[in-house]
Amino acid sequence: MSQRAFRFGLLIAVLFGLGLRFAHLASCKNWLFDEYYYYFTTAASAYQGEGFNAAYNTEREGIFVPPPGQSWFILAMLPFCSYTQPDGSLEVVIVLPKLIQILLSGFTIILFGLIGRQLRSRLAGLIAAFSAALYPGFVHWSGYLMSESNYLLGLTLLTWLLLRWVDRPYYRRALLAAAVLGLLCFQRGNPLLLAPTLAGFSIFIMGWKRGWRPALTFMFLPMFILLPWRQFNAERHGDPVWVSSNSGILFHYANRINLDPVKTPHWDDMGSIALVSEIES
């Protein structure tokens, strides 16, 4: 397959994937519980000068430190998609940040194609790109302001950078990948353990003499990037939370003796993804 054919096929995959995501957006009219109480309200609170606070901590009687990355993304969009009502409340046109998020998901499709080409061939790259464009889970989460869609973009970028580093193990490539890993942890806490894993992998494939610098970089640079957020949480909440208080909500509900499950409808077989409209009703 020629380079021109690969690029044309990649373009078709991106356009097809974006078309599916835009079509899906029409059905994403209501807020999901996590989307609203964790990410959006945190961004709105910061935008209104009231601090980086999730409404869950005041309106749902719990304590939860959400990962900040998605809230930062929403916060960056608020100057262009919101206005303040005379009563001081914030009115938001939610479709704009969702459109931007969907457009960013197009880069995820491209990166899938580049990863497939790097691992196997241009044909494999096109198969990977179309798989990313069509996969229902990727399409679904692009329509909600949850952390999944932007996290997937960061994860595929990290994977591509790591493949380039393995192909040509220059230190600057390891440095860039470690920086992306640190930033990716702001979106979700899932990749935290990649730091020691990649450090060990560096020693394994390069030996101690050549691998100690990238190993130390993978091990400690992500931690240094997260350090200001950890300090913020330590000062505000009294706990040194590195990314988020993962499962903190489950602990909170499990220890509420007077909890009435009938009045807490968002904990169903689907987890915490019930609609806010259903919760408030």
Side-chain angles (χ1 to χ4, degrees):
M1 178 183 294
S2 67
Q3 179 73 0
R4 179 176 295 181
F6 172 74
R7 290 177 178 175
F8 180 75
L10 201 57
L11 176 62
I12 297 300
V14 171
L15 293 177
F16 191 63
L18 291 180
L20 288 177
R21 286 155 174 78
F22 285 131
H24 169 64
L25 182 60
S27 65
C28 306
K29 297 179 181 180
N30 293 307
W31 290 100
L32 299 184
F33 179 87
D34 294 6
E35 179 187 24
Y36 181 81
Y37 280 112
Y38 304 162
Y39 305 117
F40 171 74
T41 59
T42 305
S45 176
Y47 183 69
Q48 294 176 302
E50 299 173 0
F52 205 68
N53 305 309
Y56 181 88
N57 295 331
T58 56
E59 298 182 25
R60 305 305 296 183
E61 302 177 4
I63 297 298
F64 179 58
V65 179
Q70 187 67 9
S71 295
W72 289 341
F73 169 76
I74 298 172
L75 179 60
M77 300 292 108
L78 286 181
F80 310 101
C81 66
S82 66
Y83 59 92
T84 304
Q85 299 275 30
D87 61 359
S89 61
L90 189 67
E91 189 72 21
V92 179
V93 181
I94 193 60
V95 70
L96 179 59
K98 289 187 175 185
L99 287 174
I100 299 299
Q101 182 170 270
I102 287 175
L103 290 174
L104 289 175
S105 72
F107 290 101
T108 302
I109 299 172
I110 294 174
L111 286 167
F112 263 86
L114 296 178
I115 290 170
R117 184 182 66 176
Q118 184 86 6
L119 287 173
R120 184 68 179 178
S121 64
R122 291 168 180 164
L123 178 60
L126 287 184
I127 294 174
F130 275 98
S131 298
L134 294 170
Y135 186 69
F138 297 169
V139 175
H140 174 78
W141 289 115
S142 67
Y144 294 100
L145 293 178
M146 300 283 283
S147 61
E148 280 80 357
S149 185
N150 287 335
Y151 173 75
L152 181 63
L153 171 59
L155 187 61
T156 51
L157 174 61
L158 175 63
T159 303
W160 181 64
L161 292 174
L162 288 172
L163 287 173
R164 286 172 54 83
W165 168 65
V166 170
D167 184 50
R168 295 184 180 181
Y170 301 135
Y171 175 69
R172 63 178 180 271
R173 292 189 174 186
L175 183 66
L176 179 59
V180 170
L181 173 58
L183 295 174
L184 183 61
C185 289
F186 285 124
Q187 190 70 10
R188 293 178 70 93
N190 304 58
L192 274 172
L193 292 180
L194 276 178
T197 302
L198 291 172
F201 181 72
S202 301
I203 301 297
F204 178 76
I205 66 170
M206 302 176 69
W208 175 254
K209 188 174 182 180
R210 295 180 58 229
W212 70 270
R213 273 208 310 169
L216 291 179
T217 301
F218 281 124
M219 188 68 195
F220 294 108
L221 182 57
M223 299 299 105
F224 280 117
I225 292 174
L226 290 171
L227 198 57
W229 176 245
R230 176 194 179 277
Q231 184 62 26
F232 173 82
N233 290 323
E235 294 176 358
R236 180 165 187 83
H237 302 288
D239 290 314
V241 178
W242 280 98
V243 178
S244 64
S245 56
N246 195 29
S247 296
I249 302 169
L250 300 180
F251 284 120
H252 167 68
Y253 275 107
N255 287 281
R256 283 180 61 187
I257 298 176
N258 297 321
L259 174 66
D260 183 355
V262 176
K263 297 180 180 179
T264 314
H266 54 283
W267 292 112
D268 54 18
D269 292 338
M270 295 293 290
S272 59
I273 61 170
L275 299 177
V276 170
S277 57
E278 296 173 358
I279 296 169
E280 299 303 330
S281 61

